[in-house]
């Protein structure tokens, strides 16, 4: 009887010891913390689609994300025509962008760029726009002005040789308005140069491109060089919002009469890093690749 009692007591102590061992903090599965996943990988915009139809594609170098070429809709030709913009670098800075459309009737644009010391801004530039006939061709000379305090681009003055004329005879003045870091308006004034080669603003016809109510999230286009988007916007100023770090939630475009103003609203969905993945109103999708 006594032996049986001691056997039961020993078994109970052993069982309690086993429970204690199973709950000790020396268990390696409890004491080793979960590994840190680290910072998320850097991304670069790869494709933009609308209603399952490709609108833009960006070809970048693996690892660095340097833009090599961009394919985008040719708004002037419509249909399935696309411009291919080929980017050339000198000492790691963009110094040329040439746009050739799949529509043979469209203009060919070649921008030659002189970057500033940082390579992130354009000091000055020239472009040649080639059409089917000399009268459709244009030679342009651009002067860029920046705010000396904020370093923001405030003006682009384009002097143009149009219609095969050897002297500069036309101008386009692009004036920029900001809210914080975002471009909220670009005013484009097109007119005739005076006899001294200066813009005669009395001859100007004005278009306004307003980009309003920016969100606080990351623009897909901020992953690519703004120098490229400046040249693209000189072809179509409605794209100047792409040099902003955030996303406008409405655009208001006022072209000269008799064209009616156009107001477009945007509403976005974002990923867990704050990048836009869907613009819901026009059913636009954004695809990225990791570097």
């Amino acid at each position: 009887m006594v032996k049986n009692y001691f056997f039961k007591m020993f078994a109970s102590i052993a069982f309690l010891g086993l429970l204690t061992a199973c709950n000790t903090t020396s268990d390696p599965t409890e004491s080793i913390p979960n590994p840190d996943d680290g910072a998320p990988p850097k991304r670069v915009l790869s494709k933009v689609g609308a209603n399952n139809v490709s609108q833009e594609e960006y070809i970048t170098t693996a690892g660095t994300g340097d833009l090599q070429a961009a394919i985008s809709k040719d708004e002037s030709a419509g249909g399935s025509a696309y411009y291919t913009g080929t980017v050339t670098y000198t000492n790691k800075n963009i110094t040329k962008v040439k746009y050739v459309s799949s529509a043979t009737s469209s203009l060919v644009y070649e921008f030659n760029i002189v970057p500033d010391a940082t390579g992130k801004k354009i000091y000055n530039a020239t472009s040649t726009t080639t059409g089917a006939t000399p009268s459709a061709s244009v030679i342009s000379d651009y002067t860029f002005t920046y705010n000396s305090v904020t370093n923001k681009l405030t003006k682009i003055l384009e002097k143009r040789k149009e219609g095969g004329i050897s002297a500069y005879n036309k101008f386009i003045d692009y004036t920029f308005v900001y809210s914080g870091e975002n471009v909220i308006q670009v005013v484009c004034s097109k007119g005739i140069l005076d006899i001294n080669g200066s813009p005669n603003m009395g001859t100007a016809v004005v278009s306004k491109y307003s980009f309003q109510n920016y969100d606080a999230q990351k623009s897909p286009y901020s992953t690519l060089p703004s120098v490229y988007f400046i040249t693209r916007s000189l072809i179509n100023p409605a794209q100047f919002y792409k040099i902003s770090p955030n996303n406008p939630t409405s655009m208001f475009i006022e072209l000269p009469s008799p064209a009616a103003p156009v107001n477009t609203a945007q509403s976005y969905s974002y990923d867990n890093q704050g990048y836009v993945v869907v613009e819901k109103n026009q059913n636009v999708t954004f695809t990225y690749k990791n570097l």
Side-chain angles (χ1 to χ4, degrees):
M1 187 71 179
V2 174
K3 289 182 179 179
N4 190 41
Y5 169 78
F6 280 108
F7 176 77
K8 289 182 178 179
M9 184 173 67
F10 178 80
S12 297
I13 293 171
F15 180 69
L16 288 173
L18 180 61
L19 289 178
T20 302
C22 288
N23 285 284
T24 181
T25 56
S26 65
D27 189 333
T29 62
E30 296 289 337
S31 61
I32 297 176
N34 290 329
D36 184 3
D37 291 334
K42 187 177 179 181
R43 292 181 176 180
V44 64
L45 181 63
S46 176
K47 293 181 181 181
V48 181
N51 297 308
N52 297 318
V53 177
S54 178
Q55 302 294 309
E56 305 167 33
E57 183 174 354
Y58 298 95
I59 300 167
T60 53
T61 304
T64 64
D66 293 334
L67 181 64
Q68 300 301 317
I71 302 168
S72 56
K73 293 286 288 185
D74 180 354
E75 300 95 345
S76 62
S80 59
Y82 288 84
Y83 267 110
T84 298
T86 304
V87 181
T88 300
Y89 291 81
T90 302
N91 297 325
K92 299 183 179 181
N93 296 326
I94 295 176
T95 52
K96 180 183 291 187
V97 185
K98 185 173 183 178
Y99 297 91
V100 179
S101 176
S102 58
T104 56
S105 59
S106 290
L107 298 171
V108 174
Y109 301 88
E110 182 174 315
F111 291 86
N112 289 282
I113 298 161
V114 177
D116 75 341
T118 69
K120 296 179 180 180
K121 296 192 297 186
I122 301 174
Y123 179 70
N124 58 42
T126 60
S127 73
T128 302
T129 304
T130 306
T133 63
S135 61
S137 300
V138 179
I139 296 174
S140 296
D141 187 15
Y142 302 89
T143 302
F144 290 75
T145 302
Y146 297 87
N147 183 293
S148 60
V149 176
T150 65
N151 284 323
K152 293 174 184 172
L153 177 63
T154 57
K155 185 185 291 288
I156 303 173
L157 177 60
E158 176 185 359
K159 293 185 178 182
R160 300 162 64 95
K161 298 177 183 178
E162 292 187 2
I165 296 176
S166 59
Y168 292 105
N169 57 345
K170 301 286 183 68
F171 75 89
I172 305 178
D173 180 282
Y174 304 86
T175 301
F176 296 79
V177 181
Y178 291 82
S179 176
E181 297 299 315
N182 294 306
V183 175
I184 60 171
Q185 189 177 70
V186 180
V187 179
C188 298
S189 303
K190 299 181 181 182
I192 299 172
L193 295 170
D194 64 22
I195 58 173
N196 297 314
S198 299
N200 182 350
M201 297 305 290
T203 67
V205 176
V206 177
S207 301
K208 295 181 179 180
Y209 301 85
S210 299
F211 314 111
Q212 304 164 329
N213 305 315
Y214 278 82
D215 64 13
Q217 306 299 321
K218 300 172 184 176
S219 166
Y221 302 104
S222 66
T223 65
L224 294 162
S226 61
V227 168
Y228 165 79
F229 289 115
I230 289 173
T231 65
R232 190 70 182 86
S233 300
L234 291 171
I235 300 173
N236 177 11
Q239 301 202 27
F240 267 119
Y241 74 93
K242 293 180 179 180
I243 68 174
S244 298
N246 306 119
N247 307 284
T249 58
S250 65
M251 298 186 194
F252 187 62
I253 298 175
E254 301 170 88
L255 301 178
S257 180
V262 177
N263 190 40
T264 306
Q266 287 86 33
S267 178
Y268 304 102
S269 294
Y270 312 91
D271 64 13
N272 58 7
Q273 293 186 44
Y275 287 105
V276 171
V277 290
V278 177
E279 194 292 299
K280 294 179 282 189
N281 291 13
Q282 280 73 50
N283 195 26
V284 177
T285 57
F286 299 86
T287 304
Y288 304 84
K289 72 176 185 180
N290 292 336
L291 297 179

